[in-house]
Amino acid sequence: MSTRARYVAGVLCRLLVEETRRSRRGGGTDTGEEGRERARAVREALQSLGPFYIKAGQMLSTRPDFVPPAMIEEFGRLHDQVTPVPFDVVEPVLARDFGARWPRLFREIDTDTPLGAASLAQVYRAVLADGTPAAVKIQRPGVEQVMAQDMAVLRRTARLIGRAAPRFTAVIDLPAMLGVLFDAMEGESDFRKEAAHMRTARRLTEDFKHLTVPLVLRDPTRRVLVQSLAPGTSVHAADPGEFTTDERTGIARDLMAFMFRGFFLDRHFHADPHPGNIFVSPGHPAHLIDWGMVGRVEANVSKSLVLALLNVAANDGTGLAKTWTEMGRPTAWADLAGFRTDMAALVPKVTSASLEELNFGVTLTAVLTHATRRGIQSSPVIALLGKSFANLEGSIRHLCPELSITGVFEENLRAIMFGLAQEALSEQQAARVALELMIAAPGSLQQGREILRNLADHACAPPTAATGAASGRGRLSADAHHTSAALILAAAIIWSSRRR
């Protein structure tokens, strides 16, 4: 057994001993002071075990379907903050990656007081040799080995639970949930991946007035990342009164719109947008920092989530139940009728509610609770999405509590749907649709030839089907206005996809 495995086992054994003593005192319930005491003990144990256990606990805080309320409240307080280690401990990492002459890269670096200290890395304020303010993130020595050992222990634990409780595993897929978490945290141990996430996100925020991402200032290494310094303070420490109403609402709307885009179009999103990772300053766009944890969504799941939110916005609980069931997997004992009834009661409470009135992330996980209780397994990525939603709500609530999330979703719906349509109608698919319409309208034949020549220049060869074309002649209208409209739509899609 490795040293790390022995340490984890020791923490869990102490937790078990405390639980045994508590039970002997008669404190075996999950309610009242006994429940809160138990929850605090579990939260402190997870926090002492480091980042994977902290993130796992944060994900569990979004699963009220099998986590008691007292623990959900405590797990929501989990944070990865530790006592900083002296700079001498991390300096060898900097020297190994940037060379012994690394000090020449900086005009100054504050090695006495880190900007932040977590179990994986420490961040220092610095000024580059050219005078650019910067933040230098340095990984703590030995982190990669600890993370690899923790992943092995957690995977083994999930397999044991699966064998011991097959009925539970049929509804709660713990190995899949852990897989989602491990994939999301790749950037935590390799800063080159985090830098790639930052560059992508910075490009995607160019369309937003009130939101940006720090700039990567020099080529990163696996363990050192130098980025521009975000102005201001964390959104939790900010005074909303220092911002104009336009700034407050602009930052909140842009944050939510950016996350919606990540969930539904880009299909990768900041998975840890808690208040400490959003910096704000009057007169400046908000900076979304720390891109080490990024979630990914499979295409069909993201499309189903769009439909689920459309059902919420339309106050359609039955539609939400149908979409959620199709997105997951009903067990042999699933109660689908009961789930439809649950959603019909839940959805009216969500529609048009503001953040002052509703925690949307918790509402998302309330759907999980009902689904699990009714024997429906939900997509494993939902837990990570729920965590991200809950983190973001906590960040926005402090700055702009009056924001309506369903309102922001409806405002961005056109862009989301157009993006999905562009994806569904690729050049080849659009060319096929245009070809069928042109064949059905004889007057458009010459135009079709010209378009086909242009498409051929771009190596696009749409398939032809004599049977489909013949049946198309019989079922498609020859109305010139409809044909022209279809051709314009196809051309617009092709043109816009070329510009990307």
Side-chain angles (χ1 to χ4, degrees), residues 13 76 80 96 109 135 139 157 176 350 388 427 434 445 463 489:
C13 283
D80 188 14
R96 197 155 46 240
I109 181 168
Q139 191 178 100
T157 302
V350 182
S388 183
E427 283 193 14
L445 184 58
L489 174 60

Side-chain angles (χ1 to χ4, degrees), residues 50-345:
F52 268 131
Y53 295 87
I54 290 171
K55 302 302 181 186
Q58 289 172 342
M59 285 182 68
L60 290 175
S61 73
T62 70
R63 296 302 300 259
D65 46 340
F66 65 96
V67 179
M71 287 198 181
I72 286 177
E73 183 178 352
E74 279 294 327
F75 288 175
R77 297 191 178 103
L78 280 168
H79 58 279
D80 188 14
Q81 292 182 348
V82 299
T83 302
V85 297
F87 183 74
D88 290 347
V89 174
V90 297
E91 192 274 339
V93 175
L94 193 58
R96 197 155 46 240
D97 285 23
F98 281 180
R101 297 183 177 182
W102 68 263
R104 295 187 178 185
L105 301 173
F106 304 97
R107 183 179 297 177
E108 61 181 78
I109 181 168
D110 183 358
T111 59
D112 295 327
T113 309
L115 290 172
S119 52
L120 292 175
Q122 294 190 171
V123 182
Y124 296 88
R125 184 190 302 272
V127 178
L128 300 185
D130 64 1
T132 303
V136 183
K137 185 174 183 178
I138 308 173
Q139 191 178 100
R140 291 192 180 207
V143 159
E144 290 181 87
Q145 294 88 338
V146 169
M147 292 182 71
Q149 292 167 6
D150 284 348
M151 288 169 64
V153 169
L154 287 170
R155 283 198 175 102
R156 192 178 307 119
T157 302
R159 287 196 297 268
L160 291 173
I161 293 173
R163 288 197 290 267
R167 188 177 177 91
F168 172 83
T169 305
V171 184
I172 308 295
D173 191 345
L174 285 180
M177 283 179 60
L178 284 176
V180 168
L181 176 63
F182 295 158
D183 287 345
M185 293 186 67
E186 285 181 346
E188 299 278 19
S189 60
D190 187 345
F191 294 165
R192 295 170 299 184
K193 293 181 179 179
E194 180 175 355
H197 295 324
M198 291 174 65
R199 289 177 175 130
T200 299
R202 186 175 174 86
R203 174 175 53 81
L204 294 175
T205 57
E206 288 176 355
D207 295 334
F208 293 89
K209 177 181 178 181
H210 297 283
L211 181 64
T212 190
V213 171
L215 178 67
V216 178
L217 295 178
R218 72 175 275 124
D219 289 340
T221 69
R222 190 177 185 88
R223 295 171 300 176
V224 182
L225 174 62
V226 182
Q227 58 189 294
S228 59
L229 189 66
T233 185
S234 71
V235 70
H236 183 71
D239 180 3
E242 295 180 354
F243 297 81
T244 67
T245 301
D246 287 345
E247 282 181 319
R248 287 193 309 105
T249 58
I251 290 171
R253 288 180 182 279
D254 278 3
L255 277 167
M256 191 60 68
F258 178 71
M259 294 300 284
F260 278 139
R261 175 172 174 165
F263 296 151
F264 306 130
L265 293 180
D266 305 319
R267 300 200 179 96
H268 63 88
F269 58 92
H270 197 302
D272 202 19
H274 61 75
N277 282 340
I278 301 173
F279 270 58
V280 293
S281 177
H284 295 86
H287 282 64
L288 190 53
I289 68 170
D290 194 355
W291 284 84
M293 190 173 185
V294 172
R296 296 171 179 82
V297 190
E298 193 267 332
N300 287 335
V301 173
S302 71
K303 292 171 186 175
S304 296
L305 283 169
V306 173
L307 184 56
L309 280 180
L310 280 172
N311 286 322
V312 170
N315 197 15
D316 183 2
T318 301
L320 173 60
K322 181 177 183 295
T323 301
W324 196 275
T325 302
E326 292 172 349
M327 187 168 52
R329 184 172 63 84
T331 61
W333 62 88
D335 179 6
L336 301 183
F339 186 52
R340 287 194 294 270
T341 300
D342 294 337
M343 295 303 96

